[in-house]
Amino acid sequence: MSQGLVFVICAPSGTGKTTLAGRLLAEFPQLNFSVSCTTRPPRPGEVDGEDYFFLSKQEFEAKRADNEFLEWAEVHGNYYGTLRKTVEEALSKGKDLLFDIDVQGAAQVRLNLPGHCVFAFIAPPSILALRHRLEARGSECPEIICRRIANAKAEVANAHWFDFLVVNDELELAYQELKSAYLAARLYPTRQAGLINKLLAE
Ligand code: 5GP
């Protein structure tokens, strides 16, 4: 059996990450969404246990104290974290996991789960284009947009250590590039130890 892969996707907010990740999950049934814990309240339509495990701050802090998180971070004033259990269960069954997490969390995953992960960063074509996208959403006030832009730049400053960098200018092209990154990552010989051993045993 091939070893499960953790495909980590990071992107500044407004870059189209959710759309791209959703397409990848829809196309590849062996790729499972890693459900994170968060202390932010559910948005309309979000389901506990599917989109997130929605926890109180106290519940989150108790899990953190028990070292249950592979990684965690404070993002936009709320806590977010990935449970070790989620990852261990998926990888032991040979499944692939998609992490949609922020850059701080990705840096922890890189340290805590070496050898299992591939990191893809999705960037906007320009900061101006990102600003236009955030403004077009119409859901955030100018101060929040300014904060998101500053956060975006801080995240872009980390993009150099990722394995893949996809620019989401034209959605279809960006999707094909992200898909190529995932497919390429699955071909690493380190994830196919089972096959190598089988060939050698013949
Ligand atoms: P949202 O609240 O819009 O769903 O997510 C806000 C940000 O938190 C996004 O950048 C998302 O990728 C990030 N995020 C979601 N889950 C996790 C997690 O488990 N860990 C970390 N570090 N970030 C997360």
Side-chain angles (χ1 to χ4, degrees):
M1 186 169 67
S2 67
Q3 204 185 342
L5 159 77
V6 172
F7 193 57
V8 182
I9 302 182
C10 289
S13 108
T15 317
K17 173 173 63 165
T18 310
T19 307
L20 290 166
R23 277 192 67 177
L24 206 58
L25 289 164
E27 184 165 352
F28 296 97
Q30 78 274 18
L31 181 63
N32 294 257
F33 178 63
S34 164
V35 181
S36 300
C37 297
T38 184
T39 60
R40 82 149 165 73
R43 296 186 184 125
E46 283 185 332
V47 178
D48 187 37
E50 281 182 24
D51 297 285
Y52 281 105
F53 297 110
F54 294 100
L55 304 182
S56 67
K57 207 171 167 208
Q58 288 78 2
E59 287 170 323
F60 193 101
E61 282 167 350
K63 287 191 186 302
R64 195 176 62 194
D66 287 344
N67 198 25
E68 289 187 40
F69 290 115
L70 173 71
E71 62 75 33
W72 71 274
E74 191 173 343
V75 186
H76 309 142
N78 290 298
Y79 292 143
Y80 293 82
T82 306
L83 291 170
R84 290 180 194 279
K85 196 174 67 178
T86 305
V87 183
E88 283 159 9
E89 279 176 10
L91 293 187
S92 69
K93 290 180 187 150
K95 291 182 183 167
D96 292 346
L97 273 182
L98 182 122
F99 282 17
D100 170 347
I101 61 176
D102 85 320
V103 166
Q104 307 169 73
Q108 293 170 50
V109 173
R110 189 172 169 226
L111 287 177
N112 297 342
L113 209 62
H116 288 282
C117 312
V118 172
F119 297 86
F121 191 91
I122 301 169
S126 69
I127 297 297
L128 190 64
L130 182 65
R131 180 181 289 280
H132 287 157
R133 278 187 209 170
L134 290 172
E135 284 169 354
R137 276 186 187 177
S139 54
E140 278 119 13
C141 61
E143 293 90 83
I144 300 275
I145 291 182
C146 278
R147 207 184 312 153
R148 295 265 152 114
I149 296 286
N151 286 347
K153 286 198 176 179
E155 295 201 287
V156 168
N158 278 273
H160 59 88
W161 63 256
F162 280 67
D163 300 305
F164 297 99
L165 175 60
V166 171
V167 175
N168 186 8
D169 190 3
E170 205 270 291
L171 185 71
E172 191 52 39
L173 178 62
Y175 178 65
Q176 293 306 327
E177 291 183 352
L178 189 67
K179 180 173 153 176
S180 306
Y182 170 60
L183 291 175
R186 285 174 55 87
L187 299 179
Y188 290 2
T190 44
R191 323 237 107 72
Q192 302 185 68
L195 171 74
I196 295 171
N197 291 336
K198 178 178 156 292
L199 292 175
L200 291 175
E202 279 177 22

